Amino acid sequence: MDTSTQTAPSPGRSIGRTVARAVAGVLTSGVVLAVGHALAGLIDTGSSPFLAVADSVVDRSPAAVREATIDALGTADKPALLLGLAVILLLLGAVTGLVERRGRPLGSLVVVVLGLVGTLAALTRPAASPTWALPTVLGTVAGVVALRLLTGALFPAPATRGGDGNDDNDGNNRAHDPDAAEVPGPDRRRFLALAGSAVAVIAVAGATGAALGRRAADVITERTDLQLPEVLTRNRAAPVPAAVTPDVPGVTPFLTRNDEFYRIDTALRVPAVTSKDWRLRIHGMVEHEIELDWDALLEREADERIITLTCVSNEVGGDLVGTATWTGFPIADLLAAAGPLPDADMLLSTSADGWTAGTPLEALTDGRDALLAVGMNGEPLPLEHGYPVRQVVPGLFGYVSATKWVVDWEVTRFDRASAYWTDRGWGERGPIRTASRIDRPAPLARLTPGPQVIAGTAWAQRRGIDRVEVRVDDGPWQDAALADEYSIDTWRMWSWTWDAPPGLHTLHVRATDGTGETQTETRRGTVPDGATGWHSRTFRVSA
Ligand SMILES: Nc1nc2c(c(=O)[nH]1)N[C@H]1C(S)=C(S)[C@@H](COP(=O)(O)O)O[C@H]1N2
Ligand SMILES: [Mo]
């Protein structure tokens, strides 16, 4: 039904409404981007819809285009790209506002499609984890809500406003609109109030996102210049002999690179702690409380040790294990300075983000290389591995010992305190189980009949590995060749040459630790104190 014959719509008012719709759309894209950016501050700046799309554009544009823009714009290419992208997104936003109708949410649909593109951009970033989808998804939801509300104010429902129900033609409602005069009508007031709220949301979310991003950037900048403590020759880690690695191409390296080291923690966003802000308070059942800052820590004599770290959540054959050269300070000396009381038996350590671990005091004071570490493979700790300070304790799973971003030590007792994962059903003491793994050839690799080198690793920190055996199908166990042992606190590599006959074959591996105990065949899951069972791999051997 067309009512425009009754009263000609005022062109001014129609233009006004068109502008308002475009504004609604621009605000919508502002809400998506600002809310997404703020949420990204809680996860990782790179997951911001705006930055993820910008980074993806850079990565996906052909090299020629990239070089041409850099040539044309000089070093301004990144700000220019961001500015251009912002303009495009705001224009697309205006379009969503212009096509949105109360009964036909075409604009919302466009927002959702753009949101999906942004989500995809975030999820395909190299550093992305599944949580990287959240900022864009939640930002998109907020944007759609904003667009629906603003559109609702521009096109009031017929029931409440007495309109004709045809909201597809601007100005049509005017004939029935008691507020059609110059005086702002309640819908207009509602629109202005909603628009004001949207601006406020954008401002607050934008400022929050910017502040969180800046804090993360500060830590990254500081880390690049951070001076690691000097390690005296006598405190250096023993050099790594070549013979700790089998002379076979493609074997797992003895030392794990920082960017290949497994990462496990509960932090949605890596805590941003600078060395300047860092403090460690040692308190509880001690003779004297101590508070250490970075400078006080670095006045102490540093050690360098090679230690294999393992996660209790590692499945049989899994890769939640790695070996690094750690630079740090003996935990035993720091504890001794505080003087634990004789009846204390646990160190409850807390991270900057409130995670806790309960470590047996004995493991920290029995002479093993338990370190308060500041360096990993010769670099300051990477942010995700605990920058600036974390614990590393040989022989204990990470969840009871390896607190990253550590800021608080309470000396206490196991019968008085509990920690994050023990409260969730995991074992109290967390000694590492003996484990062994086949690393090569790759799973389901196709092999040719004849000699084939099988290789892998085994670990039993604090006890060492004395023997590794391999079994083909239901045959006898055969001794693998052990590479040199670096120490009982590191993994030990092994290899075994198999005269592979044609057919489908399954190989099993098992290790015996320094106490003479051999891994059990019994398959058990990781809860509550680490998986058990033999790792196996199946290969097809054919000419
Ligand atoms: N603050 C904090 N520290 C933590 C954790 C955590 O969730 N939060 N996880 C622990 C667990 S379960 C393990 S296995 C190790 C892993 O250390 P990585 O991520 O450096 O490999 O860190 C430990 N330290
Ligand atoms: Mo872990």
Side-chain angles (χ1 to χ4, degrees):
M1 151 175 152
D2 186 54
T3 54
S4 58
T5 48
Q6 295 171 5
T7 316
S10 125
R13 187 149 159 74
S14 167
I15 289 168
R17 178 126 52 151
T18 303
V19 169
R21 285 157 60 185
V23 167
V26 169
L27 288 174
T28 297
S29 70
V31 166
V32 175
L33 295 173
V35 169
H37 196 67
L39 290 170
L42 298 171
I43 296 173
D44 189 305
T45 319
S47 66
S48 150
F50 186 56
L51 296 180
V53 169
D55 289 338
S56 297
V57 168
V58 171
D59 286 359
R60 274 158 229 250
S61 60
V65 174
R66 228 181 302 164
E67 268 140 40
T69 44
I70 291 171
D71 275 354
L73 302 166
T75 50
D77 68 316
K78 187 92 187 201
L81 169 75
L82 293 178
L83 194 70
L85 186 65
V87 170
I88 290 171
L89 290 174
L90 293 179
L91 285 177
L92 280 172
V95 171
T96 65
L98 290 172
V99 300
E100 181 80 352
R101 290 296 183 282
R102 169 183 286 282
R104 186 161 51 81
L106 207 59
S108 296
L109 192 70
V110 175
V111 174
V112 169
V113 169
L114 292 173
L116 286 176
V117 172
T119 306
L120 211 64
L123 284 176
T124 52
R125 298 308 305 145
S129 67
T131 55
W132 280 40
L134 287 177
T136 313
V137 168
L138 297 177
T140 303
V141 170
V144 168
V145 168
L147 185 57
R148 294 306 294 158
L149 287 173
L150 289 163
T151 306
L154 287 174
F155 300 99
T160 55
R161 301 282 309 139
D164 61 6
N166 178 357
D167 58 20
D168 286 353
N169 276 317
D170 285 349
N172 281 357
N173 292 340
R174 193 169 172 267
H176 306 279
D177 192 342
D179 301 319
E182 292 312 304
V183 194
D187 53 339
R188 203 184 290 183
R189 233 176 266 146
R190 184 169 153 71
F191 178 79
L192 287 177
L194 284 167
S197 312
V199 169
V201 165
I202 292 168
V204 170
T208 309
L212 290 171
R214 209 170 310 120
R215 208 168 143 61
D218 282 350
V219 180
I220 292 167
T221 312
E222 185 203 74
R223 182 179 175 274
T224 29
D225 303 326
L226 191 81
Q227 206 62 41
L228 281 186
E230 188 92 42
V231 180
L232 301 175
T233 315
R234 66 164 183 269
N235 296 331
R236 294 255 164 82
V240 179
V244 299
T245 312
D247 190 12
V248 175
V251 293
T252 302
F254 178 73
L255 287 173
T256 314
R257 283 173 27 183
N258 288 354
D259 59 357
E260 278 171 3
F261 208 96
Y262 80 95
R263 172 190 170 192
I264 294 284
D265 53 62
T266 57
L268 208 54
R269 171 170 199 263
V270 173
V273 184
T274 60
S275 65
K276 281 175 211 71
D277 292 342
W278 181 81
R279 301 280 183 284
L280 177 68
R281 193 174 149 236
I282 311 176
H283 61 108
M285 299 172 68
V286 292
E287 276 157 22
H288 16 259
E289 281 197 15
I290 293 181
E291 193 174 85
L292 277 173
D293 62 10
W294 179 258
D295 292 336
L297 184 64
L298 262 73
E299 276 169 19
R300 310 183 73 93
E301 197 169 313
D303 274 349
E304 185 189 68
R305 294 288 182 264
I306 296 179
I307 298 163
T308 297
L309 203 67
T310 311
C311 182
V312 69
S313 300
N314 198 38
E315 303 286 351
V316 169
D319 57 5
L320 301 181
V321 54
T323 303
T325 305
W326 305 94
T327 308
F329 304 88
I331 290 178
D333 296 352
L334 290 160
L335 281 174
L341 301 181
D343 53 339
D345 64 2
M346 182 219 250
L347 177 67
L348 183 71
S349 52
T350 306
S351 65
D353 61 338
W355 185 86
T356 51
T359 314
L361 270 187
E362 205 205 336
L364 301 171
T365 52
D366 64 1
R368 74 182 79 182
D369 294 320
L371 293 181
L372 191 61
V374 295
M376 183 174 182
N377 290 324
E379 284 178 29
L381 293 174
L383 268 51
E384 61 274 22
H385 292 292
Y387 185 88
V389 183
R390 73 166 308 164
Q391 298 169 204
V392 177
V393 182
L396 299 181
F397 284 127
Y399 79 103
V400 294
S401 67
T403 308
K404 305 189 273 189
W405 316 288
V406 62
V407 293
D408 190 276
W409 276 2
E410 181 186 350
V411 177
T412 178
R413 293 177 52 87
F414 275 95
D415 58 13
R416 288 186 200 162
S418 59
Y420 189 90
W421 284 116
T422 46
D423 286 342
R424 288 159 177 80
W426 295 80
E428 207 168 56
R429 308 276 162 154
I432 290 173
R433 285 188 182 281
T434 303
S436 55
R437 196 176 74 186
I438 302 169
D439 288 346
R440 64 148 281 162
L444 299 172
R446 237 168 207 285
L447 308 179
T448 50
Q452 293 289 345
V453 182
I454 312 300
T457 181
W459 61 89
Q461 292 93 313
R462 285 280 83 199
R463 302 180 296 280
I465 294 292
D466 272 7
R467 184 177 196 185
V468 171
E469 296 161 285
V470 181
R471 189 181 74 181
V472 181
D473 302 322
D474 290 324
W477 285 101
Q478 304 184 53
D479 275 308
L482 286 174
D484 280 4
E485 175 174 78
Y486 179 82
S487 88
I488 57 169
D489 291 335
T490 57
W491 57 14
R492 190 162 185 188
M493 307 313 191
W494 58 267
S495 62
W496 181 70
T497 305
W498 176 33
D499 191 12
L504 196 64
H505 300 288
T506 297
L507 272 57
H508 277 88
V509 64
R510 70 177 187 192
T512 301
D513 71 16
T515 70
E517 199 177 324
T518 302
Q519 277 182 267
T520 171
E521 178 175 13
T522 312
R523 274 269 185 175
R524 259 186 289 134
T526 56
V527 189
D529 42 30
T532 66
W534 300 329
H535 185 216
S536 69
R537 245 179 214 186
T538 299
F539 305 105
R540 177 173 298 283
V541 183
S542 61

Short mmCIF file of all heavy atoms in Angstrom, two decimals, residues 264 310-313 398-399, ligand 2:
data_model
loop_
_atom_site.label_atom_id
_atom_site.label_comp_id
_atom_site.label_asym_id
_atom_site.label_seq_id
_atom_site.Cartn_x
_atom_site.Cartn_y
_atom_site.Cartn_z
N ILE A 264 51.60 -24.88 27.44
CA ILE A 264 50.37 -25.25 28.15
C ILE A 264 50.15 -24.26 29.28
O ILE A 264 51.04 -24.05 30.12
CB ILE A 264 50.47 -26.67 28.76
CG1 ILE A 264 50.55 -27.74 27.69
CG2 ILE A 264 49.28 -26.94 29.70
CD1 ILE A 264 49.24 -28.04 26.99
N THR A 310 57.98 -31.60 31.00
CA THR A 310 56.94 -32.51 30.53
C THR A 310 55.59 -32.13 31.12
O THR A 310 55.51 -31.73 32.28
CB THR A 310 57.26 -33.97 30.96
OG1 THR A 310 58.60 -34.26 30.63
CG2 THR A 310 56.33 -34.96 30.28
N CYS A 311 54.54 -32.31 30.34
CA CYS A 311 53.19 -32.02 30.80
C CYS A 311 52.47 -33.31 31.15
O CYS A 311 52.55 -34.29 30.40
CB CYS A 311 52.40 -31.27 29.74
SG CYS A 311 50.73 -30.83 30.28
N VAL A 312 51.74 -33.28 32.25
CA VAL A 312 50.98 -34.45 32.69
C VAL A 312 49.90 -34.81 31.67
O VAL A 312 49.46 -35.96 31.59
CB VAL A 312 50.37 -34.20 34.09
CG1 VAL A 312 49.26 -33.14 34.00
CG2 VAL A 312 49.83 -35.47 34.71
N SER A 313 49.47 -33.83 30.89
CA SER A 313 48.41 -34.08 29.90
C SER A 313 48.93 -34.72 28.63
O SER A 313 48.17 -34.90 27.68
CB SER A 313 47.72 -32.76 29.54
OG SER A 313 47.16 -32.20 30.69
N GLY A 398 54.82 -30.25 34.84
CA GLY A 398 54.71 -28.79 34.88
C GLY A 398 53.62 -28.28 35.81
O GLY A 398 53.80 -27.25 36.44
N TYR A 399 52.52 -29.01 35.92
CA TYR A 399 51.38 -28.47 36.68
C TYR A 399 51.65 -28.39 38.17
O TYR A 399 50.93 -27.69 38.88
CB TYR A 399 50.10 -29.27 36.40
CG TYR A 399 50.00 -30.58 37.16
CD1 TYR A 399 49.18 -30.71 38.29
CD2 TYR A 399 50.72 -31.69 36.75
CE1 TYR A 399 49.09 -31.89 38.98
CE2 TYR A 399 50.64 -32.89 37.45
CZ TYR A 399 49.82 -32.98 38.56
OH TYR A 399 49.74 -34.17 39.25
MO MO B 2 50.98 -29.52 32.09
#
